[in-house]
Amino acid sequence: MLRIGCHLSSSKGFLAMGEEAVKIGANTFQFFTRNPRGKKAKELDLTDVADYLEFAKNNGIAQILAHAPYILNPCSKDEGLRQLAYEIMCDDLRRLEYIPGAMYNFHPGSHVKQGVEAGIAYIADTLDRIGEHGYQATVLLETMAGKGSEVGRNFEELRAVIDRVADSSKLGVCMDTCHVFDGGYDIAGHLDSVIQEFDSVVGLGRLKAMHLNDSMNGLGSHKDRHAKIGEGEIGLETFYAIVNHPKLKGLPFFLETPNGLDGYQQEIALLRQAAEPKEAGAKW
């Protein structure tokens, strides 16, 4: 069964997100742990969490994805900003202890003229410090489009981060289709080759989730502008191929397209029809 969902607002709590997911035909979802451009997080409501877990069990929702705020930069030249990233990530992961199986995705950050090697070292150091707490959630490095001095613009940089972390057993990767396409990986023309390259550099065992986003810009543009599925440069057929690919179809897929709930519902139905033509529309 296709595991697919979208990005939902966490402002109303976990139960509300679960209910919204089911309403639009999703069986997973992603959410920001706090204001994506800020530091503050709502107080964790354990009653809401318990109600959500019961709802998720009864409605087939599994393995949701928490997304760290964009302000995190664990490879900043500023020690204070690196410490802030560490503290926010620890707080987020502490909260996720209450949601079994949840994963945690973050953008590796920007080295800003320090050089990629320094950036990789700082990210690994932050992850080492976080790892000392023994949090259970799998932490995912997201593939990036290569804007400015972003770390993670290619598979080799992600591999380098993983290799420098002392205990990488809870580290994985979230592949964003818009990001890798904008970063120069031709998933539209050579999907199998890109998957093979990821496997040889990082290892498919590390690929834990995918963000499904079309791209407003062309291959190698390094722009990171998401488009609706089938309305960008990647194209609808590529997304059909991704959700049906034997090496990818067991992953959870998360839409981050420029949509409201109605638009997400249509994209979920479209991709579910492609992946489950005989079962589309069935209740799960």
Side-chain angles (χ1 to χ4, degrees):
M1 179 182 294
L2 182 67
R3 287 190 287 163
I4 188 166
C6 62
H7 191 94
L8 297 175
S9 171
S10 61
S11 61
K12 296 180 181 179
F14 283 99
L15 179 59
M17 286 192 288
E19 291 172 340
E20 280 190 339
V22 169
K23 183 179 179 181
I24 62 174
N27 52 11
T28 184
F29 60 88
Q30 175 182 270
F31 66 98
F32 277 119
T33 57
R34 59 192 68 217
N35 184 326
R37 306 278 180 194
K39 306 173 188 177
K40 292 186 66 175
K42 289 175 56 178
E43 191 70 27
L44 189 63
D45 183 343
L46 294 182
T47 299
D48 174 60
V49 170
D51 290 343
Y52 160 73
L53 291 174
E54 182 66 20
F55 180 86
K57 179 181 177 182
N58 293 333
N59 289 273
I61 299 175
Q63 201 172 36
I64 60 177
L65 181 61
H67 198 305
Y70 293 135
I71 63 164
L72 262 64
N73 189 2
C75 61
S76 172
K77 186 175 183 179
D78 186 320
E79 183 178 357
L81 292 178
R82 297 198 304 273
Q83 179 64 19
L84 176 65
Y86 164 78
E87 291 172 357
I88 288 177
M89 291 176 76
C90 283
D91 186 45
D92 287 346
L93 290 165
R94 177 185 60 79
R95 292 162 177 263
L96 290 180
E97 293 287 281
Y98 294 97
I99 305 179
M103 298 184 292
Y104 183 70
N105 179 71
F106 78 104
H107 292 184
S110 297
H111 62 75
V112 191
K113 299 182 181 180
Q114 299 176 92
V116 68
E117 288 299 324
I120 288 169
Y122 279 138
I123 295 164
D125 177 68
T126 298
L127 291 171
D128 276 338
R129 293 170 63 202
I130 291 169
E132 293 172 359
H133 296 279
Y135 300 119
Q136 294 304 304
T138 299
V139 176
L140 307 186
L141 297 152
E142 184 170 339
T143 57
M144 303 308 295
K147 295 183 304 178
S149 58
E150 287 178 336
V151 177
R153 67 181 60 207
N154 56 51
F155 301 154
E156 286 79 9
E157 290 182 6
L158 297 178
R159 179 78 248 182
V161 172
I162 293 168
D163 285 345
R164 289 191 67 132
V165 174
D167 180 3
S168 64
S169 61
K170 290 188 173 68
L171 274 184
V173 171
C174 177
M175 183 184 292
D176 185 301
T177 55
C178 173
H179 293 179
V180 294
F181 184 76
D182 284 18
Y185 292 96
D186 188 6
I187 58 172
H190 302 282
L191 178 61
D192 284 337
S193 296
V194 174
I195 294 170
Q196 183 177 358
E197 183 174 354
F198 182 90
D199 192 24
S200 65
V201 175
V202 180
L204 279 172
R206 297 277 185 184
L207 185 59
K208 303 296 184 182
M210 290 191 71
H211 285 160
L212 298 185
N213 301 299
D214 214 324
S215 175
M216 291 178 63
N217 299 102
L219 177 67
S221 61
H222 305 295
K223 296 290 187 181
D224 186 11
R225 296 289 302 280
H226 296 187
K228 296 177 182 179
I229 299 298
E231 296 186 11
E233 296 296 316
I234 297 174
L236 186 57
E237 292 302 318
T238 299
F239 292 98
Y240 286 167
I242 287 170
V243 298
N244 283 294
H245 199 285
K247 293 184 178 180
L248 303 177
K249 64 181 182 180
L251 296 171
F253 299 104
F254 301 94
L255 294 158
E256 294 181 321
T257 50
N259 265 314
L261 288 179
D262 288 347
Y264 283 136
Q265 184 172 19
Q266 292 171 13
E267 290 183 340
I268 288 168
L270 182 69
L271 295 173
R272 190 175 294 287
Q273 177 65 39
E276 303 171 355
K278 295 181 181 178
E279 300 178 29
K283 186 174 178 60
W284 53 85

